[in-house]
Amino acid sequence: MGLLKHEAAVNEDSIETQPASPSSTPTDEKREAYEVFKLTDDGVDFRTVSWQRATIIFLKIQFAMSILSVPGSMAVLGAVGGALSIVGWDVLNTYTALILGDFRNRHPECHTLADMCAELWGRAGRELVGAQLLIGQILITAGGIVSVSTAFNALSDHGACTVVFSFVAAALITIFSSIRTFSRLGWLTWIGFSTFFIAVFVFVVAVTQQKRPAAAPQTGDFELGWTAIAYPGFVAGITATANLFIFSSGSSMYLPVISEMRRPQDYRKAAILTGFLICAMYLSFSLVIYRWCGIWIATPAFGSAGTLFKKISYGLALPGLVIGVGIYQHVAAKLLFVRLLRDTRHLQENTIVHWSTWLGANLLLGALSFIIAEAVPILNYLLGLAGALCFAPFSLIFPALLWMHDFRNYRAGSSAQKAVYGAHALVVLLGLFMVVGGTYGVAVSIKEAYASGMIGKAFDCADNSGS
């Protein structure tokens, strides 16, 4: 909270004394002049999202398939270590989400994190970070395709080749992501969040009613494996940490939503409420699942509830899985769309160029995600790789550097200001550790999975649901 007060105080000083500085907050009139999408009665009006609807979109971005991998990470880190990681990452990721939103509102011409990084490193920064954003979102979408294909296998008792189910999943996600505006996605997002929450709740209740976990030996004695404090090796620990980190690290996906809000100034309300609710849901659900399943947690976790409840949970969750992943692909497609058509009449007019660019971007991203999903068809590894390689920079390194850029006068300020500046430098170092350590840990895990046969050949028809 102290960091938030310092930032607010400097913003107020900037308005009064430095109206032309990069850190100044523009007036409403100036802000509108720089907005990517203009308020208009002609063409497509993108600026229709309220802060309440933005909250639901943010919740669906964060409360998605990562809940299916978090209980497995708890089994690696233990109840105390896992719980502390969830709370710690959520607090830090919510704070950096506020940094990103505040920076964007001070620089309303920024549509994505790539535009923000152009403030740091010029055009090269924009292009490189833009490519990194696309890679991260493709990895997340690939993980979603794996989850949806797993759902289809569970519901149909492996009624078709998994590659076919993956293709259908990619097609459904692409159809959803092709809806042009976040406002029109809004009511579908409500449905997605509600059905997914109900599915997880049903699953959590189901595991508490079992005599023993479905994945555990069904006869004889067995060891649940629950522990308060675990002592994993570096590779297992850093992979589990990367999986826990990613559950609340999607704030870079918030930024295009701000550009479509009626009042971008209301972003903070949506971001803070989302951070609180996400932490409460992940912490409560994962602790209960771990308490009743111990080390016998399937991945994805719905497999831990037994055949009947696995089918019920996947049936309820299917709309939420498609919609949640579709939002990630939508954000990636919107990045390409705005990048190609910005400052042209085609951005907000229903021209052939407008539609071909928008639909082409969605089809391209859907195809790439499908290929990655078939190459690394295990959810934990896809999420861990995305978390370490992409979302650690997005949610830790880049926000801290952006804050240090706008508040660089803190380096020569009071002792308290220097301490705050140093704290942000530590966030950068933490992010670098997650990138290097997390990527190494996940890469080793993927190599071992291929060597042990846990991951078969690419484009494998084998059942991935354990049915």
Side-chain angles (χ1 to χ4, degrees), residues 283-405:
L283 186 62
S284 57
F285 286 153
S286 59
L287 282 174
V288 172
I289 294 168
Y290 179 49
R291 164 62 183 82
W292 290 94
C293 293
I295 61 173
W296 305 98
I297 297 175
T299 299
F302 283 158
S304 305
T307 302
L308 175 61
F309 280 100
K310 178 172 69 173
K311 289 185 175 183
I312 293 173
S313 297
Y314 272 123
L316 290 169
L318 195 54
L321 285 171
V322 172
I323 291 169
V325 180
I327 292 174
Y328 273 86
Q329 185 166 304
H330 177 97
V331 170
K334 191 67 69 70
L335 186 155
L336 285 174
F337 177 70
V338 173
R339 180 69 182 83
L340 293 171
L341 300 184
R342 188 169 188 165
D343 297 326
T344 72
R345 67 182 182 88
H346 302 293
L347 184 65
Q348 288 186 255
E349 291 186 17
N350 289 306
T351 63
I352 293 176
V353 173
H354 174 103
W355 278 106
S356 60
T357 303
W358 175 242
L359 295 177
N362 278 281
L363 289 171
L364 174 63
L365 292 169
L368 291 174
S369 299
F370 169 73
I371 293 170
I372 296 297
E374 291 305 303
V376 188
I378 293 187
L379 178 65
N380 270 13
Y381 297 151
L382 286 169
L383 293 183
L385 189 61
L389 194 60
C390 300
F391 286 86
F394 298 164
S395 192
L396 297 175
I397 298 174
F398 297 156
L401 289 175
L402 290 166
W403 187 95
M404 293 165 73
H405 172 270

Side-chain angles (χ1 to χ4, degrees), residues 132-202:
Q132 191 178 10
L133 281 167
L134 291 175
I135 291 170
Q137 288 156 355
I138 287 170
L139 287 172
I140 293 294
T141 304
I145 290 171
V146 171
S147 292
V148 175
S149 68
T150 302
F152 283 140
N153 270 320
L155 292 169
S156 67
D157 292 321
H158 190 42
C161 172
T162 296
V163 178
V164 173
F165 283 146
S166 296
F167 180 81
V168 173
L172 290 173
I173 289 167
T174 299
I175 290 170
F176 177 80
S177 73
S178 297
I179 299 173
R180 278 186 302 176
T181 67
F182 280 110
S183 178
R184 292 185 177 180
L185 289 176
W187 66 273
L188 290 172
T189 306
W190 274 100
I191 295 173
F193 174 75
S194 300
T195 57
F196 196 78
F197 181 88
I198 292 169
V200 174
F201 185 80
V202 168

Side-chain angles (χ1 to χ4, degrees), residues 64-330:
M65 59 191 175
S66 52
I67 188 64
L68 304 183
S69 67
V70 165
S73 298
M74 296 283 284
V76 174
L77 300 176
V80 174
L84 290 175
S85 292
I86 288 174
V87 174
W89 284 129
D90 182 78
V91 170
L92 184 56
N93 284 329
T94 299
Y95 174 66
T96 56
L98 296 178
I99 291 178
L100 290 177
D102 291 344
F103 186 94
R104 186 265 167 209
N105 284 336
R106 289 193 298 270
H107 306 264
E109 68 278 8
C110 295
H111 176 247
T112 66
L113 186 59
D115 295 328
M116 294 179 176
C117 288
E119 298 281 338
L120 299 177
W121 304 303
R123 182 174 180 179
R126 175 184 284 115
E127 302 302 336
L128 290 173
V129 175
Q132 191 178 10
L133 281 167
L134 291 175
I135 291 170
Q137 288 156 355
I138 287 170
L139 287 172
I140 293 294
T141 304
I145 290 171
V146 171
S147 292
V148 175
S149 68
T150 302
F152 283 140
N153 270 320
L155 292 169
S156 67
D157 292 321
H158 190 42
C161 172
T162 296
V163 178
V164 173
F165 283 146
S166 296
F167 180 81
V168 173
L172 290 173
I173 289 167
T174 299
I175 290 170
F176 177 80
S177 73
S178 297
I179 299 173
R180 278 186 302 176
T181 67
F182 280 110
S183 178
R184 292 185 177 180
L185 289 176
W187 66 273
L188 290 172
T189 306
W190 274 100
I191 295 173
F193 174 75
S194 300
T195 57
F196 196 78
F197 181 88
I198 292 169
V200 174
F201 185 80
V202 168
F203 164 70
V204 170
V205 172
V207 298
T208 66
Q209 302 305 307
Q210 298 179 114
K211 293 182 178 179
R212 60 177 66 201
Q218 295 303 298
T219 58
D221 296 331
F222 79 102
E223 182 64 38
L224 182 63
W226 183 94
T227 182
I229 300 175
Y231 302 93
F234 177 79
V235 171
I238 196 67
T239 303
T241 300
N243 275 320
L244 288 180
F245 162 73
I246 201 172
F247 88 89
S248 61
S249 66
S251 56
S252 59
M253 306 298 103
Y254 296 177
L255 299 175
V257 182
I258 304 177
S259 294
E260 298 187 33
M261 290 179 71
R262 284 197 290 263
R263 282 181 46 83
Q265 307 92 306
D266 290 337
Y267 164 78
R268 273 178 161 251
K269 300 177 187 176
I272 291 172
L273 181 57
T274 298
F276 174 78
L277 293 175
I278 285 296
C279 184
M281 289 188 290
Y282 274 88
L283 186 62
S284 57
F285 286 153
S286 59
L287 282 174
V288 172
I289 294 168
Y290 179 49
R291 164 62 183 82
W292 290 94
C293 293
I295 61 173
W296 305 98
I297 297 175
T299 299
F302 283 158
S304 305
T307 302
L308 175 61
F309 280 100
K310 178 172 69 173
K311 289 185 175 183
I312 293 173
S313 297
Y314 272 123
L316 290 169
L318 195 54
L321 285 171
V322 172
I323 291 169
V325 180
I327 292 174
Y328 273 86
Q329 185 166 304
H330 177 97

Side-chain angles (χ1 to χ4, degrees), residues 25-41:
T25 302
T27 63
D28 289 343
E29 184 178 345
K30 289 182 179 180
R31 180 183 288 114
E32 283 301 323
Y34 285 107
E35 288 287 352
V36 176
F37 298 114
K38 313 300 182 186
L39 293 170
T40 180
D41 294 326

